[in-house]
């Protein structure tokens, strides 16, 4: 497959020798990144505990090597040459490969060794400090470490692009092309839709019966069921592995070597199931990547928001839908005979869609409340980075916003401002991708459903192959990875319009109004 | 622990800055080698089949990097400086680290890029050719590829050390310090002892009853038993993993991350057991390495012969001994109730020590016939490399020697000269290490037994901790890795004499004369 977006422009440009030389360097970098991915998987899933020290030395050597290779001045020279020549005609994929390579090179070379070293040192220290502060439920213990992160990230952003707002520079690491101005407007729209919906659900809604899904569930039986589901959704064991780890994740070394993990808790049937469908979505994106551009940055995922759109499309748009409940019900009844055998698919659909407006914890949130947790964090971290608020204001502002958006207030820092690990790693700009993913998932699913009129009947019968093929074609293959410089352009191409939060909002309003009998 | 062999000489030499700089470079190389080890393990044990291509690219990138780092001219300069200064006083470990680093650097830089490339290309081609020739049982199909290997290896040896016999240069890769002159004399002595012993066993001996050990054995039960045995012998799960693979091996990323694998066949109880004890011996060496010298070549294993001495000491000197049979018998009776429950430890001891003089296949050989298989290969490959015989004479000479040494003659090339993979990889000098290991195992075990008067009673009770501790101290720790430039010096230090084949010969003669009622 060699789809060129603008066929008229396809040409073997005069600089093809330079492009070949650049490709070789980029492919070597990708090979080492793949090795790094394998090491990460191994550490979480296979490594004996006593190897932590030696693995640390290996990871450090590999990180140093990756930095050395990525900042190779020869890459800079090739990029300059190619950028001069690209105007003379080159296909869109090649142009995108050069654009993405240049973006990465600029970032890697902008950050000084000294700053990278200080960041690396602070990473371990800040994380340890956060662990202790959370144990003590005392934000003030963590505040100095967080202040230092803000300073370090401002320094980084100023080196990379002093002309852009600091938060926008950081955001670019997670969702290229996105700005805080656009996020402000998106999230204001989402907030304006969800806060009243949530208040309504709480005031007038009838929550579903979930008691019948509670109990103890053998984890081996859960694992066997979830394996079957992952394979049914399309996970390919020829190009990946399924294992169990403490924290579920999807990683690996290459699109042909995708390592997906899940976990199972005895006292929760839904957590393992949800996690499995979510990670399968990530894995299908990875396994579906177009190998024609293997090793070139144009083939990398189009940002973390887009990646999350694939996991959330499967987890929420598919996994929380009525057809999936019809598919799942006989399977869980067979695997867990203690479940009441007279329950219907409709009962299951309702039970898995409980909204928990009183939950304080993001990772336990449902699809209605989740975006509000994210908006709260986005508002705080962007204001913090901009300097509009100070670190010591965070606990108070956190609690105030929780009350305002979700109608609940944490009683401790551990249940509030200290609940997430992200800030301890200095990750500002990461949180928004969770909700961007949810919005894109709704928008992409809507487009897919138009092309797949039989989806509901097929999904209820356990046949998801057409949806997988549609995503492979439209998101993973033809509109390959980072072909477009922004998620908006990708969405425009695939769905006909840029990111449109109203699709998710409409979906949530109509779904939960019906479910809660409003 | 900082044992200096010659305490009077310990001193912080003036070049310690150069030594530190060298150490950093060597430790980075070791980190990447460890990563390479992990990739190798993963490929054999975990990797999905579809990832073969991407893994190949990753391995190739890593191999290129290792060559680049190992041939870094800065290492050469540091070594020169250190070798000039070492005379001024340095401890033995440091001197050995420099010596071993220089040996490796000389080899890596002597081989031209062009030769390395031709070798790499021929490796794949020759292996494929060998596979086809073995399938067709037709040596002449493989002959041209083997001829090319001989030429390539002569070219390599001439680049590394034109003043030394070719075979000696190749041997140095597997057992440093060993020469073909010494091997000739060792192997002549072994042959002179074993050929008549074997003839005697065949003519007058009474083979043990092994029929009661045949049958079908559940592979899960075998795996559970072998896991217990590996742990009883001292394998440490904090610093390693036990898994199953098609070909048993011990690899991994570091002495704190030793990955050992075994395999189990339904129709053989002994193969899995023997493999487990053998690989545990390798693993105990790796896990026992002295971390004070971690990352420096002085801490590498003292050659493949010495490594094999550790696996064979456990497999043969311990695992085929009477105390081990006493330990093992109740375990196999419990795991496999179909075994006749009236059999004694003496029955088991006799059954596991069957000599199969009529076996044509090296990997199926017992401890009496095994050295003769090796001597045959050594004689042929050393004469081949010297130019005393030609490739096309190999099948005839192979069969002639089989008749002379083992009293049997292969009926096909597949069962004869084509049976081993080694020559298809151009590995000349590798075979001898198997039997060197056996001789060293006998010699080291004899020394250990003198220090451990209660070994027999303790082993019969399943307590092997003192032997493990003795090996840790004497082979793995104090006489750390490659402290000595040759196995002879290591053995001299540990056992009081250089390699002495008569110890193995005496052991085999007395053991099998008694067993076979001569």
């Amino acid at each position: 497959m060699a789809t060129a977006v603008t066929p008229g422009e396809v040409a073997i440009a005069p600089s093809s020798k330079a492009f070949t030389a650049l490709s070789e360097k980029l492919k070597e970098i990708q090979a080492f990144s793949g090795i790094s991915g394998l090491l990460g998987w191994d550490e979480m899933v296979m490594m004996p505990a006593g190897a932590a020290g030696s693995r640390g030395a290996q990871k450090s050597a590999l990180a140093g090597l990756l930095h050395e290779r990525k900042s190779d001045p020869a890459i800079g020279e090739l990029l300059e040459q190619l950028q001069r020549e690209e105007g003379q005609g080159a296909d869109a994929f090649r142009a995108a490969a050069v654009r993405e390579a240049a973006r990465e090179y600029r970032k890697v070379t902008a950050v000084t060794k000294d700053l990278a070293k200080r960041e690396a040192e602070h990473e371990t220290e800040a994380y340890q400090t956060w662990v202790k502060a959370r144990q003590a439920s005392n934000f003030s213990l963590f505040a100095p470490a967080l202040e230092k992160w803000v300073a370090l990230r401002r320094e980084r952003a100023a080196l990379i692009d002093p002309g852009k707002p600091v938060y926008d520079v950081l955001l670019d690491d997670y969702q290229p092309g996105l700005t805080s101005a656009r996020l402000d407007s998106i999230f204001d729209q989402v907030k304006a839709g969800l806060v009243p919906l949530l208040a309504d659900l709480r005031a007038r809604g009838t929550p579903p019966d979930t008691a019948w899904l509670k109990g103890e569930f053998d984890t081996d039986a859960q694992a066997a069921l979830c394996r079957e589901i992952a394979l049914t959704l399309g996970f390919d064991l020829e190009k990946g592995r399924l294992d169990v780890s403490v924290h579920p994740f999807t990683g690996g070394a290459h699109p042909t070597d995708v390592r997906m993990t899940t976990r199972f808790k005895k006292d929760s049937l839904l957590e393992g199931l949800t996690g499995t469908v979510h990670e399968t979505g990530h894995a299908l994106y990875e396994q579906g990547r177009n190998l024609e551009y293997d090793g070139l940055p144009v083939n990398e995922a189009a940002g973390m928001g887009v990646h999350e759109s694939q996991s959330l499309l499967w987890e929420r748009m598919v996994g929380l839908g009525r057809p999936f409940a019809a598919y799942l019900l006989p399977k869980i009844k067979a695997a867990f005979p203690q479940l009441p055998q007279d329950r219907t698919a409709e009962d299951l659909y309702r039970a898995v869609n409980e909204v928990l407006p009183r939950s304080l914890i993001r990772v336990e949130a449902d699809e209605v409340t989740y975006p509000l947790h994210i908006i709260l964090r986005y508002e705080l971290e962007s204001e913090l980075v901009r300097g509009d608020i100070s670190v010591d204001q965070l606990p108070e502002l956190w609690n105030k916003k929780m009350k305002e958006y979700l109608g609940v207030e944490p009683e401790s820092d551990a249940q509030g401002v200290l609940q997430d690990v992200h800030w301890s790693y200095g990750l500002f700009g990461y949180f928004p991708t969770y909700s961007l993913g949810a919005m894109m998932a709704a928008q992409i699913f809507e487009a897919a459903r138009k092309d797949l009129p039989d989806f509901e009947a097929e999904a209820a019968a356990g046949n998801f192959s057409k949806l997988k093929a549609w995503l492979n074609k439209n998101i993973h293959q033809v509109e390959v990875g980072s072909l477009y410089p922004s998620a908006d352009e990708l969405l425009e191409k695939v769905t006909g319009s840029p990111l449109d939060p109203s699709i998710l909002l409409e979906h949530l309003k109509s779904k939960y109004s019906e479910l809660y009998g409003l």
Side-chain angles (χ1 to χ4, degrees), chain A:
Chain A
M1 208 210 65
T3 311
V5 166
T6 44
E9 281 186 325
V10 178
I12 303 293
S15 54
S16 64
K17 215 170 138 183
F19 187 74
T20 304
L22 177 68
S23 296
E24 271 170 28
K25 287 188 178 290
L26 297 175
K27 285 177 181 186
E28 194 206 18
I29 289 170
Q30 200 238 18
F32 288 125
S33 299
I35 292 172
S36 174
L38 185 76
L39 257 61
W41 170 84
D42 184 84
E43 185 174 345
M44 301 294 277
V45 185
M46 294 289 160
M47 192 185 83
S54 60
R55 181 58 57 89
Q58 288 155 2
K59 278 161 57 184
S60 161
L62 198 54
L65 172 74
L66 274 166
H67 188 272
E68 175 193 306
R69 295 299 212 242
K70 284 181 179 177
S71 56
D72 179 358
I75 290 183
E77 287 156 26
L78 289 166
L79 284 169
E80 256 181 52
Q81 188 183 337
L82 284 160
Q83 283 168 325
R84 271 197 314 273
E85 294 169 1
E86 282 304 307
Q88 300 170 27
D91 71 51
F93 295 101
R94 222 180 78 167
V98 171
R99 183 197 69 226
E100 289 302 310
R103 206 171 72 88
E104 172 82 4
Y105 182 74
R106 202 167 50 238
K107 278 192 194 177
V108 169
T109 52
V111 176
T112 61
K113 258 194 164 174
D114 170 65
L115 175 59
K117 196 169 161 242
R118 283 183 287 131
E119 286 176 330
E121 282 163 7
H122 190 53
E123 196 170 296
T124 312
E125 200 196 309
Y127 172 75
Q128 301 294 352
T129 308
W130 170 77
V131 169
K132 281 179 203 144
R134 195 164 93 137
Q135 274 161 0
S137 194
N138 183 349
F139 179 77
S140 67
L141 297 177
F142 176 56
L146 187 56
E147 259 163 33
K148 193 165 171 188
W149 265 134
V150 174
L152 287 166
R153 292 312 190 206
R154 281 192 189 136
E155 204 177 330
R156 165 176 280 263
L159 289 170
I160 292 172
D161 193 342
K164 259 169 73 174
V166 172
Y167 193 79
D168 290 17
V169 178
L170 302 177
L171 206 49
D172 191 70
D173 278 352
Y174 309 108
Q175 191 56 59
L178 195 68
T179 64
S180 46
R182 179 139 167 76
L183 265 187
D184 284 342
S185 107
I186 289 170
F187 281 158
D188 280 347
Q189 189 180 345
V190 174
K191 202 161 55 171
L194 286 189
V195 172
L197 172 64
L198 192 59
D200 236 23
L201 290 175
R202 196 157 47 203
R204 308 191 290 119
T206 314
D209 174 13
T210 59
W212 65 280
L213 267 183
K214 308 258 191 279
E216 295 221 322
F217 303 92
D218 177 63
T219 50
D220 286 344
Q222 286 192 55
L225 174 61
C226 286
R227 186 181 177 84
E228 185 195 337
I229 291 171
L231 299 182
T232 298
L233 298 183
F235 186 87
D236 181 358
L237 287 172
E238 273 289 301
K239 299 195 285 181
R241 285 182 59 89
L242 298 172
D243 292 279
V244 170
S245 71
V246 177
H247 298 286
F249 69 100
T250 299
H254 190 263
T256 59
D257 192 3
V258 176
R259 313 279 174 114
M260 166 181 153
T261 74
T262 41
R263 71 169 164 193
F264 305 101
K265 289 185 178 164
K266 211 175 167 50
D267 62 356
S268 167
L269 178 56
L270 292 185
E271 193 174 322
L273 279 167
T274 306
T276 298
V277 178
H278 182 94
E279 296 305 330
T280 302
H282 281 307
L284 294 183
Y285 191 4
E286 287 300 309
Q287 291 190 330
R289 277 162 57 190
N290 191 334
L291 292 186
E292 188 176 348
Y293 308 98
D294 189 27
L296 299 181
V298 64
N299 191 33
E300 297 294 313
M304 291 187 50
V306 176
H307 222 307
E308 195 72 7
S309 83
Q310 298 305 290
S311 55
L312 291 179
L313 186 148
W314 287 97
E315 178 196 333
R316 296 187 186 161
M317 307 312 292
V318 176
L320 297 181
R322 279 197 167 91
F324 196 81
Y327 154 71
L328 187 61
L329 183 76
K331 302 217 167 286
I332 60 170
K333 278 186 182 172
F336 306 104
Q338 77 265 32
L339 288 172
Q341 298 288 313
D342 59 344
R343 288 292 181 164
T344 64
E346 183 64 20
D347 292 334
L348 180 60
Y349 168 66
R350 301 183 85 83
V352 300
N353 282 297
E354 186 187 19
V355 175
L356 295 164
R358 304 213 172 268
S359 172
L360 296 161
I361 307 298
R362 175 184 59 85
V363 295
E364 295 168 2
D366 54 87
E367 62 176 337
V368 179
T369 53
Y370 202 104
L372 296 169
H373 287 277
I374 294 303
I375 292 170
L376 174 154
R377 283 154 180 78
Y378 163 69
E379 290 173 349
L380 293 180
E381 70 179 16
S382 61
E383 286 169 24
L384 189 63
V385 162
R386 263 203 307 272
D388 292 350
I389 61 170
S390 66
V391 163
D392 54 9
Q393 288 177 276
L394 282 178
E396 195 198 323
L397 289 171
W398 181 287
N399 294 354
K400 190 167 155 273
K401 282 178 192 283
M402 279 299 286
K403 181 90 191 152
E404 193 182 330
Y405 303 163
L406 288 144
V408 288
E409 226 174 329
E411 284 176 13
S412 70
D413 289 349
Q415 294 234 304
V417 66
L418 286 174
Q419 71 181 257
D420 297 307
V421 71
H422 302 58
W423 288 345
S424 83
Y425 285 122
L427 298 178
F428 305 126
Y430 189 115
F431 280 124
T433 64
Y434 292 121
S435 285
L436 288 168
M439 290 179 240
M440 293 183 207
Q443 188 167 340
I444 292 168
F445 189 65
E446 190 188 66
R449 289 285 288 101
K450 282 178 195 155
D451 289 348
L452 306 170
D454 304 326
F455 173 76
E456 299 215 345
E458 288 177 353
N463 180 358
F464 303 91
S465 59
K466 285 185 193 159
L467 177 60
K468 174 179 172 280
W470 190 95
L471 292 168
N472 280 156
K473 177 167 175 278
N474 289 289
I475 304 287
H476 314 155
Q477 291 271 330
V478 178
E479 311 306 343
V480 52
S482 299
L483 177 60
Y484 304 104
S486 74
D488 275 333
E489 284 172 73
L490 171 67
L491 288 170
E492 174 101 44
K493 189 81 193 170
V494 175
T495 72
S497 71
L499 182 63
D500 178 1
S502 72
I503 297 169
L504 176 67
L505 284 175
E506 274 316 305
H507 161 73
L508 295 176
K509 269 184 211 165
S510 74
K511 173 175 174 179
Y512 288 93
S513 297
E514 189 239 27
L515 260 163
Y516 274 69
L518 298 187

